[in-house]
Amino acid sequence: MTPLPSSPAEELALLERELIWLDTRRVQLLRRRSWLKAALRAQSAGGWQPPQGAPGGWAHAPAAHPAPAVPSGSATGGPGAQHVLLILGGLLLAVAAIAFTLFSWGELGIAGRSVVLAGVTAGALGAPVLLLRRGLGATAESVGAVALLLTVLDAYALHAAVLPEADGAGYAAFASGVLAAGWAAYGVGVGRLRLPLPAAVVAGQFPLVLGAWAAGGSALVIGWALLVTAAGSVVVAARVPVLAVRATAWSGAGVTWAGGLLIGLGESVSASGPLDAAAPGVLLLGAAAVALRAVWRAPQEMAVTGGVVAGLAAVAGVGGVLRTEVPWSWAVVVYLVCGAALAPVARIAVVPRPVRGGVLGAAAGVTGVAVLAVLPSAAATLLGPAAVLTGLWAGAPDGTRELAAGAWPDALSVPVVLLVAAVLLGAVYASLVHEGREPAGWTGAAGAGAVGLVSAAVPVLLVSADVAYAAALVVDLLLVAGLLAAAVAVRRVPAAADGTALWCAVAVAAHAGLLALAVEPATYAVFGLLLVLFAASAARSEEAVARSLALVLSVVCALVVASAAGASLELGAPRTAVLVLAVPAAVVVLGLWVRTPAVVVPLEAGAGFAALVALGLAVTDGAYLSLVLALCGVLAAATAVRPERRPGAGYLAAGLFATATWVRLVSAGVTHPEAYTLPVSVIACAVGLLRRRTDPEASSWTAYGPGLGVTLGPSLLALWSDPHWQRPLLLGAAALAVTVTGAVRRLQAPLLLGGGTLALVALHELAPHVAQVFDALPRWSVPALAGLLLLALGATYEQRLRDARRLREHLGRMR
């Protein structure tokens, strides 16, 4: 059974499908009739036979099934084609009406104009009623649209011919109001037309705005006209159930509300006093009220968005009045406080929950913008003490502002903004925890943000307030102690907050350390206390990253103290390097005693950094550099006593000892290092030979690598500065012998070390001749040869790859 249609449009579509099916059935019956006539004529002529190509009887007649539904617009005569024809017809009528109004209106007299105006408009408005009674809804919609356009043209023609002296804006305001009322009445009266009511809503957006403009109103008057229009559209959207009307009303409300808001913001920012800012402030508060009314019972996403824009509008309105009474540098504080005043809205149960969330989002947005506004000034203040590095121990200043090198802000507004934002985030964190939220996610982020802002605000406040130098150091150290205590309180502080506290402690410690470098006693006191604080934090911390970072920073603080001791004793950089090595020496001893990887590894990382600093200090003096290298070798050898560090530390110790020897020879002006290295090589190779005899599985690198490297390395370095031919000849012959021995005995270390040395000697000898050849060749030949080489390698890539694999396998089989 065919279901009953639920609307006139569905009923019309059903009727059209039935008519199409009837047409198809009629064609089938006419074909059957022709076939039967042919059969009768053949029967009367003498024997009946089915005509050629005709079906044989009812069984073979075309089945009479209903025609399939034709989609709208898919075939001629369907609803889609009908709509296209109606739209085209309506457009042609509209063009004709416009042409008549613009060009032929003046040819008629007053009576003719009145008759045409009344007759055409009445006919166009009445025709849809008759068409709807006949069930021609689409045709009625098209004619109705033309009728609405004719009313607009009539209003224009009336102004052009009858009321030419009337003000254009005022007449437009009056005409749009009349049209809006008339279209609304017409849409309600007809009922079944869909266009008049949305058109009335569109026309209703103009009367107040155009009327204010025509009356010469100020920007605020126009803003209020826009805002009242938006409020009316909101009422229409909330009370009218028709979807098209609601969508049009919401769109119009959004446009007019945004226009009023922008006017209020512009006037508020440009106001020079509280009286001037009061009127824009009231306008902005009105915009906030309209936004809240619009989204009071809206869906969640729309309600949240409305709450955000309403909160921002309220902050702009109130803050715009208050900021005129304070210096411009404090305007950020004023807006921040106004944003904070929105927080109590969260406790008002009457306000829908999504709207409350949007208002709190506005408060959070104001807070974030305020922090971002002062962040550059805060960063410059925190980095200001870095100027101390250009004049260490220059003397105690009168105040911390002197050490900031002009980076401090002009007022206390920057630290106040940071502190207020920190208090707000702390309150949010406490409120969420009180509600039973877990200290993670957004809750933990609020706590971490509060910790970070307080950590930044305190040093900035010290500089901005120009507190005494000693007081600033004490406050910084107390802040570092508090942050470290919070960082190690794992069970009582969320993960995000304790991680933030740790890194903030590092930043504040750096700030205090830079301040301390201005005075010699302060340097020892501050870095000594920081050493104790970080060591205590590492001892109490249960988190691996926090403990490792604290241990590394402890070593760094000890390194600073050792360097400062060298400066106090006026030892100079090379001698201070020897003193600095006391730090890694203490770490090595501690590692032998503790032997806990979680503790030893960070300490060794810090000790490695200290050793690099010592090498950097001694690099200008060859003798002390050799001594530092040798002492580093001793420390590496002491570390190799531990079984888990033996392989790596042992090789490192051997390399450091060899490097110390070479550096010492170079610093002593020795031009023939072989006299010192060759005996060592002979003894080392002899020991390696004995090792291989007692342990055939020992690697050739272990047995012969150190001995060969002791001589070949320094000789290669001396080769490049030797203008004579004897050293290249002797070194090349020795390298050739070593290479042949490695190839014959299948020893990897002699083969590679000797071959590499031989190649470098050959390169040294051929370099001048190769340079001459390249100078003689034209410039284009070098890229050409390179291109040919690449082509050759590409053509034989697979073969070269197989050769490289075989070479690697062959070397891997060597000992």
Side-chain angles (χ1 to χ4, degrees), residues 575-598:
R575 294 182 180 181
T576 302
V578 179
L579 186 60
V580 165
L581 287 179
V583 176
V587 171
V588 170
V589 173
L590 186 61
L592 294 175
W593 177 50
V594 178
R595 295 200 175 189
T596 303

Side-chain angles (χ1 to χ4, degrees), residues 117 151-179 206-207 210-211 214:
L117 181 63
T151 57
V152 177
L153 296 176
D154 291 342
Y156 166 75
L158 183 63
H159 177 266
V162 180
L163 302 171
E165 298 83 5
D167 178 64
Y171 179 79
F174 173 77
S176 60
V178 172
L179 289 175
F206 300 101
L210 294 177

Side-chain angles (χ1 to χ4, degrees), residues 193-250:
L193 290 180
R194 291 175 290 182
L195 187 59
L197 290 179
V201 173
V202 174
Q205 308 299 313
F206 300 101
L208 290 179
V209 179
L210 294 177
W213 186 15
S218 63
L220 287 176
V221 174
I222 296 176
W224 276 111
L226 288 168
L227 198 59
V228 172
T229 302
S233 299
V234 168
V235 173
V236 171
R239 294 182 178 276
V240 178
V242 182
L243 180 60
V245 176
R246 296 180 65 185
T248 306
W250 281 124

